[in-house]
Amino acid sequence: MSIKCNEVPNSARSVQLGKVIRTVLLSATLLAPAVSAGADEAKPPLRLCADPTNLPFSSDEPGKPGLYLEIGQAVAQKLGRTVSYNWYKSYFGKRTVRETLLSKQCDAMVGLPLIDDFMGPAVIFSKPIAHEGYALVGARDRKLAGVDDLRGLRVAVQYQSTPQNLLAMRDDIQKVTVLSPEEGMTALDQGKVDVAFIWAPVAGWLNKTSYGDKYQIVSTEGDGLLWATAIGFAKASGALRDEVDGVLPSLQPEISALFAKYGVPNGAPVKFGQVAPATTSSVGASEPVTVGQATAAEKPVQTAASAGDAKGDATAGREVFNGTCAHCHGPDAVQAERKIDLRLLKKRYADEMESTFWKTVHDGRPAKGMPAWKDVFSDDELRNVYAYLQSVQDTGGN
């Protein structure tokens, strides 16, 4: 039977109301610890830093988040977390990491190169999640098992890339220079080349989305051709890194499926290396060298004290160079294109080498594709790069 309040005497109503209030307060007291504990146990979002326009890796389009963002989402789900994003263009390489991950704008960056000198020890890494590099792209019935299969063929190579350096000494291969993987795929599809030797992830993505999977994508392995990638964290985030490492093994089937979804090659690479004839013009040595191979072991990095008049840290300069400048000028400044071979600066500019360097890196040469770096790196960082470049100058004959 239900009792309405206006049917109960005032005194009885007061007693009843008091009982209700005491019951509510008692219930609130008993429930408070549980509610509080639940709030404390709620995990914050996993904050991912990513490029908003960098497919197949990342995108701010909800329907196409990209390979690395989907891997990040899968990791977060395993950890019982939601995901949030901090968007930042990846054009500036290591500067991107400094401005985002190391500035505490995010907790993790998926897809950083897992190499010994990449911003260590400021950045720590998860277990490897993938490999990135260059691939041979051609018709599905063409044999692409190594360099010898390219003899007599027209091969598209990206300008200022490891494949271009690698094939530079091969007169039996016709090189066709392209400026991007997109241009390489177009040249292949139009019959202007027989094979494209280009950036594998983009080639795979384009093959899947624009060319109906009509081509085979064969990953290559060799100096400067392939490297492992991982999830990067700031060095203070060791506990989070360990949590992520704990769930990665269980995510391998899902990660493999994501590679297939975005067309990114994930199969076994083919060994791809070529020893050039003996030369004295490239590194001042008479023994054969591997085209595209860093020559630090043959010509150790000098310190500032031994780098002529350079006032800077050549070792630190090498790290900056390989993190940013090597994209165009080659790892450790090893570059087959003479006009952008920075080992020839002393020969080319003599006493004006230093002034030319500063004008070029400060103001850039936009017409030649050289950006201005004065707003990206400090003068101390650029001074270190100059010290490094002084240490690798070719002092041999012409």
Side-chain angles (χ1 to χ4, degrees):
M1 177 184 297
S2 63
I3 301 176
K4 297 180 182 178
C5 287
N6 58 7
E7 296 175 349
V8 181
N10 289 339
S11 59
R13 224 180 11 238
S14 299
V15 173
Q16 185 177 356
L17 182 59
K19 290 182 178 179
V20 171
I21 292 173
R22 284 195 298 274
T23 302
V24 170
L25 290 175
L26 179 61
S27 299
T29 302
L30 293 173
L31 290 174
V35 173
S36 177
D40 290 342
E41 292 171 3
K43 295 182 178 180
L46 181 65
R47 300 176 302 155
L48 300 176
C49 280
D51 190 322
T53 56
N54 191 32
L55 284 172
F57 297 121
S58 62
S59 166
D60 59 2
E61 297 182 43
K64 292 185 292 186
L67 171 64
Y68 285 161
L69 280 198
E70 290 212 44
I71 290 175
Q73 292 167 359
V75 168
Q77 186 175 13
K78 280 285 186 180
L79 297 178
R81 297 191 182 200
T82 58
V83 179
S84 65
Y85 306 100
N86 181 278
W87 302 112
Y88 195 100
K89 295 292 290 182
S90 59
Y91 176 78
F92 292 124
K94 289 184 178 180
R95 182 176 179 85
T96 299
V97 179
R98 287 196 296 269
E99 294 289 339
T100 57
L101 185 66
L102 300 185
S103 296
K104 300 181 180 180
Q105 301 301 309
C106 58
D107 304 310
M109 293 186 75
V110 184
L112 293 184
L114 187 55
I115 53 179
D116 292 338
D117 62 349
F118 186 83
M119 304 190 73
V123 177
I124 58 177
F125 299 93
S126 71
K127 297 173 182 177
I129 59 169
H131 286 82
E132 285 184 33
Y134 293 93
L136 298 169
V137 186
R140 290 196 174 274
D141 60 353
R142 183 180 292 281
K143 182 183 177 184
L144 295 175
V147 64
D148 290 338
D149 292 328
L150 304 181
R151 288 177 177 172
L153 300 182
R154 300 165 300 164
V155 179
V157 291
Q158 285 178 237
Y159 181 53
Q160 301 173 349
S161 69
T162 301
Q164 186 180 45
N165 292 343
L166 189 64
L167 301 184
M169 305 300 291
R170 292 294 298 250
D171 294 333
D172 55 347
I173 299 172
Q174 181 181 342
K175 281 78 68 179
V176 179
T177 302
V178 296
L179 298 180
S180 67
E182 291 84 355
E183 187 177 338
M185 292 295 290
T186 298
L188 179 64
D189 200 57
Q190 293 178 347
K192 296 179 179 178
V193 298
D194 305 301
V195 175
F197 196 177
I198 55 179
W199 187 238
V202 175
W205 170 249
L206 292 174
N207 187 42
K208 184 176 183 66
T209 59
S210 301
Y211 297 100
D213 281 322
K214 67 187 291 187
Y215 298 109
Q216 61 171 318
I217 314 287
V218 180
S219 295
T220 59
E221 182 178 13
D223 292 313
L225 291 175
L226 186 72
W227 52 91
T229 59
I231 303 174
F233 309 84
K235 65 179 179 180
S237 300
L240 176 59
R241 187 271 308 274
D242 293 344
E243 280 190 75
V244 171
D245 276 347
V247 302
L248 280 178
S250 64
L251 287 172
Q252 286 310 309
E254 187 170 347
I255 290 174
S256 296
L258 288 172
F259 271 87
K261 175 180 177 179
Y262 286 94
V264 178
N266 195 28
V270 299
K271 296 287 186 179
F272 202 96
Q274 165 64 24
V275 176
T279 178
T280 59
S281 62
S282 61
V283 293
S286 58
E287 67 272 15
V289 298
T290 301
V291 177
Q293 180 179 0
T295 56
E298 300 171 17
K299 195 169 185 178
V301 176
Q302 301 175 18
T303 63
S306 62
D309 60 353
K311 297 178 181 179
D313 185 337
T315 301
R318 178 190 177 199
E319 181 180 348
V320 173
F321 185 93
N322 282 336
T324 301
C325 314
H327 176 70
C328 292
H329 296 285
D332 284 344
V334 177
Q335 172 58 256
E337 290 279 335
R338 289 184 64 84
K339 63 183 179 180
I340 55 171
D341 187 347
L342 300 186
R343 297 166 299 173
L344 303 177
L345 290 176
K346 192 69 175 178
K347 286 183 177 181
R348 190 171 294 138
Y349 299 108
D351 293 340
E352 295 183 359
M353 172 181 166
E354 186 171 4
S355 61
T356 301
F357 169 84
W358 283 106
K359 178 174 177 56
T360 301
V361 299
H362 264 206
D363 302 332
R365 291 181 176 175
K368 297 182 179 294
M370 173 71 176
W373 296 105
K374 60 184 177 182
D375 295 325
V376 178
F377 295 108
S378 68
D379 279 356
D380 285 342
E381 289 173 311
L382 294 175
R383 191 173 290 110
N384 292 340
V385 172
Y386 181 72
Y388 171 63
L389 288 176
Q390 279 223 330
S391 75
V392 297
Q393 290 306 295
D394 180 4
T395 57
N398 294 331

